Amino acid sequence: MLVHPQFDPIAISIGPLAVRWYGLMYLIGFALFILLGRYRIQQQPNGVFTREILDDALFYGVLGVILGGRLGHILFYQPGYYLQHPLEIIAIWQGGMSFHGGFLGVAIAMVWLARKYQISWLSVTDFIVPLVPLGLGAGRIGNFINGELWGRPTDVPWGMIFPYADNLPRHPSQLYEFALEGLMLFTLLWLYSAKPRPLGAITGMFMIGYGIFRSICEFFREPDDGFLGIMTLGMSMGQWLSLPMITAGAALVIWAYRYGHQPEETVQKSSHGHKNRH
């Protein structure tokens, strides 16, 4: 039996300034996004993305993650609580972010980016989704360090006691999610996107892959926020939210291969006359 080491949530402290592990994981995720994106741009010189678009994609994506993730948590998981405590809506530092809400927020932000550079939305999403999973994995490591989002009780040899929860050995489900939603999804998408694919196919594969991996992990993860528990048909909220994601992703892949639209090539430099001010 293992016991969670109860890491200090503060990674670096300099006087009154403190950098928390969870925030540091976000920064690592953003850095990986830029590094992988620049590598892909070099490997695909005729692709639609440039470094300027990549930088803007990160800026808009961060806004989408924060706003969408927070609103998703409020609407999907605790609408009643926040209706009674509206001032806590902005208290992001207390935790409470939803991946599915963040996904919708980023999708909307990428519409904004696509309109700015006059390129198709699916060209944008096809480029960025292979860059995302390692950042998701970093976030799950942050969850593990914080000792939050623990798994269901288990008797497996690697069961871990999370003192913040109780004295029962539980699945270290954060590490399962790191392995599946982070490493495995990244590997599959990176290899799949290394060759030209019909427009929208890569985005669809991300939606299918994440939805399936998240649904698998939900069988081992304690249902979100306790009070929700297991819902209709024995499924958790995370699984219910993943179901339309998988369905939409499958429909998008079928559409992409049926109609066979080719990815866009680099637009003219005159279309990129914007200075990056972010």
Side-chain angles (χ1 to χ4, degrees):
M1 184 185 304
L2 305 174
V3 178
H4 184 267
Q6 295 182 274
F7 299 98
D8 186 340
I10 297 177
I12 303 171
S13 179
I14 303 176
L17 301 178
V19 177
R20 295 180 175 271
W21 281 109
Y22 195 69
L24 189 58
M25 292 301 108
Y26 265 84
L27 291 178
I28 290 174
F30 297 149
L32 289 171
F33 179 91
I34 289 294
L35 292 174
L36 292 171
R38 290 184 175 181
Y39 174 80
R40 265 288 162 84
I41 289 171
Q42 291 177 345
Q43 298 299 310
Q44 301 174 354
N46 294 323
V48 69
F49 256 65
T50 64
R51 286 194 173 192
E52 181 185 1
I53 301 178
L54 180 67
D55 291 344
D56 271 358
L58 177 61
F59 177 76
Y60 294 157
V62 169
L63 293 180
V65 166
I66 295 175
L67 297 178
R70 187 59 169 174
L71 290 176
H73 175 76
I74 292 168
L75 296 176
F76 299 150
Y77 294 99
Q78 291 184 285
Y81 176 82
Y82 287 102
L83 187 62
Q84 297 177 0
H85 305 84
L87 293 180
E88 293 192 26
I89 291 176
I90 61 174
I92 297 177
W93 56 89
Q94 295 180 3
M97 299 286 282
S98 160
F99 166 81
H100 296 90
F103 173 77
L104 292 175
V106 171
I108 294 172
M110 293 306 104
V111 172
W112 185 7
L113 181 75
R115 292 186 63 182
K116 175 179 179 179
Y117 288 98
Q118 299 181 349
I119 53 181
S120 75
W121 177 71
L122 287 175
S123 292
V124 174
T125 56
D126 278 354
F127 184 89
I128 67 169
V129 292
L131 316 179
V132 170
L134 288 185
L136 298 179
R140 294 310 181 191
I141 293 297
N143 294 145
F144 179 75
I145 291 174
N146 285 348
E148 60 192 6
L149 303 184
W150 45 75
R152 303 184 190 190
T154 182
D155 57 1
V156 298
W158 57 88
M160 179 174 290
I161 293 176
F162 292 87
Y164 295 123
D166 48 37
N167 290 319
L168 297 175
R170 294 174 173 273
H171 286 286
S173 56
Q174 314 96 323
L175 300 183
Y176 301 173
E177 293 189 80
F178 165 73
L180 290 180
E181 301 166 15
L183 297 181
M184 182 64 75
L185 185 58
F186 168 74
T187 301
L188 294 176
L189 283 178
W190 191 259
L191 294 176
Y192 179 73
S193 62
K195 296 181 179 180
R197 305 292 178 182
L199 188 67
I202 300 172
T203 301
M205 286 296 184
F206 171 83
M207 296 169 69
I208 295 171
Y210 180 86
I212 291 175
F213 289 149
R214 174 63 182 268
S215 296
I216 292 172
C217 291
E218 286 286 323
F219 286 113
F220 303 97
R221 172 175 164 174
E222 188 73 18
D224 294 275
D225 293 315
F227 63 89
L228 285 176
I230 300 299
M231 304 176 72
T232 307
L233 301 180
M235 295 169 61
S236 68
M237 175 61 83
Q239 289 170 321
W240 275 112
L241 292 175
S242 294
L243 187 58
M245 189 175 183
I246 295 170
T247 304
L252 183 55
V253 171
I254 293 171
W255 174 86
Y257 277 97
R258 176 170 294 180
Y259 293 97
H261 295 287
Q262 295 301 311
E264 295 180 66
E265 293 185 353
T266 305
V267 294
Q268 297 297 321
K269 290 183 179 180
S270 59
S271 300
H272 294 168
H274 305 274
K275 298 285 187 181
N276 183 9
R277 298 185 177 90
H278 311 303

